[in-house]
Amino acid sequence: MSEDKDIIDVTPVGESGDKDAESLKTIGWISYGLHFVVALAAVLPGTQVGLGLLLIALIIDLVKQSDAEGTWQATHFSWRIRSVIWAGVLYVVTLPLWFVFVVPGMIAWIVVSIWFLYRIIKGALWMKDSRPMPS
């Protein structure tokens, strides 16, 4: 009888959870990759890839965000969504500068684009280390 108490259950715990986590991480990498292409193109003159890739990445994040709920990866979905929303707001707010003076409008959009690129790179680096993003 005492031997039965010493038996250790060696059933792998969370195999499906590990697969889900890896799947979410793959989706995160795809999203960060799309965001990175858009952000880099926004910084480099003459290389606009269009709003389409950004919208695809945003839709992916919005659809898959609930799958990541309760995990460290949920912070990355929120980080990417907030980055897109804030960049969009900042582009709209600085749009009138283009009509008043072209150079200030260009400078403002370059600053917003660099900020967006920074957020995407920071998020990707933190995801590489499996770290949650700060709130």
Side-chain angles (χ1 to χ4, degrees):
M1 285 276 187
S2 66
E3 291 176 23
D4 290 337
K5 292 180 184 176
D6 293 354
I7 295 176
I8 299 172
D9 184 11
V10 291
T11 307
V13 177
E15 278 187 3
S16 65
D18 293 342
K19 290 177 187 173
D20 291 343
E22 282 304 311
S23 174
L24 284 172
K25 202 166 188 178
T26 300
I27 290 167
W29 282 121
I30 290 168
S31 181
Y32 272 124
L34 291 171
H35 281 92
F36 180 75
V37 168
V38 171
L40 188 61
V43 173
L44 300 175
T47 57
Q48 295 298 323
V49 294
L51 192 57
L53 285 180
L54 186 62
L55 289 176
I56 290 169
L58 182 60
I59 289 168
I60 289 170
D61 287 336
L62 289 170
V63 169
K64 290 303 212 174
Q65 183 179 24
S66 62
D67 293 348
E69 193 172 304
T71 69
W72 64 268
Q73 293 184 45
T75 62
H76 286 273
F77 282 93
S78 296
W79 179 264
R80 290 187 301 265
I81 292 167
R82 283 193 324 263
S83 296
V84 170
I85 290 171
W86 275 109
V89 167
L90 292 170
Y91 282 130
V92 168
V93 167
T94 58
L95 183 63
L97 291 174
W98 283 92
F99 300 118
V100 178
F101 302 105
V102 173
V103 174
M106 282 179 25
I107 291 170
W109 280 30
I110 288 170
V111 169
V112 172
S113 298
I114 290 170
W115 172 83
F116 183 63
L117 181 62
Y118 160 78
R119 297 242 329 164
I120 297 308
I121 291 171
K122 179 179 179 177
L125 290 173
W126 282 47
M127 191 171 82
K128 178 184 75 72
D129 295 336
S130 299
R131 292 181 1 193
M133 296 306 299
S135 51

